[in-house]
Amino acid sequence: MLDLTKPSVIKDLMQTFDTNFSKGLGQNFLINPAVLDSIAEAAECDGEGVIEVGPGIGVLTAQLAQRAKKVVSVEIDSRLIDILNHTLADFDNVKIVNDDILKLNLPKLIQDEFDASLPVSVAANLPYYITTPILTMLLESGIPFKNIVIMVQKEVGMRICASPGGKDYGALTVLCNFYSEPEIVTHVPAGNFMPAPKVDSVVVKLKMRKESPVLLNDTKLFFTVVKAAFAQRRKTLENCLANFPGLNLSKQDAHSLLLKAGIEPGIRGERLSINEFAAIANLI
Ligand code: SAM
């Protein structure tokens, strides 16, 4: 089988199939077998199902296919499909779908491709230009994924795994912690990719929660409160909440509501825990 982590093999493939790397589609292919192993290991997908976003030339796909019962990989770049059919020809448990992960009907794809009883995880070396939209879509999809294991730009990984009070803590942190328990699996310097990107990366594992960590009267309202709290980070919490679209709160309303929730109105949103955001939302 081809060693897809070898730069010379990648170059040969690109030449043979008369194609090149697309910077615009975030094509930075992994060339370190140890990192591939960490992603596949963290996905805990032995004998289970995996959705892969952006297989590229199939280097991670092959690792996943050796462990999982079935891997469904969604690749937007039609120029890579012939390469994938070639590099993954030895696997009969891989399905390649040529589509945009943000446009296809993911619940239907999962329903069509996996037994209903099979746990399904996501594993991906994500294209960095659309990391947040993809992650948000996966988390909000309502699909009961077991784990989501993704390679992301280091700064995004720090935001996902941040604690309240720091500069990295924000709406993305709250979103990820609401749906999952995130952790950094490993740090991946830029030299582990071909071509090397300008930034370093981390692998993040989001172990999906089976139950919400907080009791909410209205989940949509909770996320509107979170959005309001981080919309203008320099403002106090009461000023952020007051007159924010969808909340219907005057400054006086925001002030008394925060006091009622036991939260100092003059603090900044970045200091609030998920429980405190929930307390505010439930009082509105
Ligand atoms: N998995 C391969 C690896 O680890 O070497 C490639 C990862 S590369 C960082 C990201 C891949 O995502 C590319 O193959 C790119 O074409 C694909 N991609 C970009 N945007 C996409 C989208 N909206 N839907 C599906 N795939 C996408």
Side-chain angles (χ1 to χ4, degrees):
M1 215 163 75
L2 285 172
D3 181 353
L4 298 173
T5 59
K6 265 193 164 164
S8 57
V9 172
I10 300 177
K11 274 190 202 141
D12 279 354
L13 276 172
M14 294 303 220
Q15 246 170 23
T16 310
F17 288 85
D18 193 22
T19 187
N20 47 23
F21 301 98
S22 162
K23 213 173 162 189
L25 290 175
Q27 288 176 0
N28 302 100
F29 299 152
L30 257 169
I31 52 170
N32 182 342
V35 178
L36 296 167
D37 213 44
S38 315
I39 298 175
E41 183 78 34
E44 299 176 296
C45 59
D46 289 22
E48 300 182 353
V50 181
I51 290 282
E52 185 193 13
V53 183
I57 56 165
V59 70
L60 176 60
T61 325
Q63 274 283 338
L64 296 166
Q66 281 166 32
R67 301 166 186 250
K69 182 165 186 210
K70 183 168 184 183
V71 182
V72 176
S73 298
V74 181
E75 173 57 59
I76 196 171
D77 188 350
S78 51
R79 303 171 314 157
L80 295 177
I81 304 304
D82 285 346
I83 299 188
L84 286 164
N85 287 332
H86 171 70
T87 56
L88 300 170
D90 288 347
F91 296 99
D92 59 5
N93 61 341
V94 174
K95 165 131 188 180
I96 305 295
V97 177
N98 184 197
D99 211 333
D100 180 339
I101 191 72
L102 290 175
K103 294 202 176 132
L104 59 60
N105 184 340
L106 192 56
K108 180 166 186 312
L109 180 70
I110 289 176
Q111 197 184 6
D112 290 349
E113 297 296 337
F114 298 103
D115 290 344
S117 60
L118 197 69
V120 177
S121 293
V122 175
N125 171 14
L126 284 182
Y128 293 169
Y129 75 109
I130 42 167
T131 298
T132 309
I134 293 177
L135 182 53
T136 306
M137 178 278 288
L138 292 171
L139 292 171
E140 291 180 343
S141 67
I143 300 167
F145 292 118
K146 179 174 152 187
N147 295 307
I148 297 179
V149 181
I150 46 175
M151 174 88 72
V152 297
Q153 190 177 328
K154 185 175 150 200
E155 288 69 22
V156 176
M158 295 302 141
R159 279 166 52 207
I160 292 173
C161 299
S163 303
K167 70 171 175 34
D168 291 330
Y169 187 73
L172 183 65
T173 323
V174 177
L175 177 80
C176 291
N177 281 271
F178 180 78
Y179 288 107
S180 74
E181 294 169 81
E183 61 170 296
I184 305 268
V185 174
T186 186
H187 289 255
V188 188
N192 289 273
F193 301 86
M194 179 181 172
K198 290 204 175 71
V199 292
D200 290 336
S201 302
V202 289
V203 175
V204 178
K205 172 176 181 173
L206 298 107
K207 187 173 164 36
M208 297 299 284
R209 294 184 193 275
K210 291 196 173 67
E211 280 169 24
S212 164
V214 283
L215 279 178
L216 293 176
N217 300 335
D218 181 340
T219 307
K220 196 166 163 233
L221 186 63
F222 168 80
F223 282 111
T224 307
V225 169
V226 172
K227 199 169 160 199
F230 292 111
Q232 286 176 287
R233 296 182 72 110
R234 289 193 182 167
K235 277 192 178 178
T236 62
L237 186 57
E238 69 176 334
N239 281 331
C240 284
L241 297 183
N243 303 316
F244 191 82
L247 292 183
N248 264 328
L249 295 172
S250 67
K251 185 154 181 201
Q252 184 53 47
D253 293 337
H255 186 86
S256 17
L257 188 132
L258 289 172
L259 288 180
K260 208 166 161 193
I263 297 163
E264 158 59 38
I267 71 165
R268 303 236 151 79
E270 66 204 30
R271 303 192 70 89
L272 292 194
S273 66
I274 288 201
N275 283 317
E276 289 169 313
F277 281 117
I280 296 169
N282 286 342
L283 278 172
I284 294 177

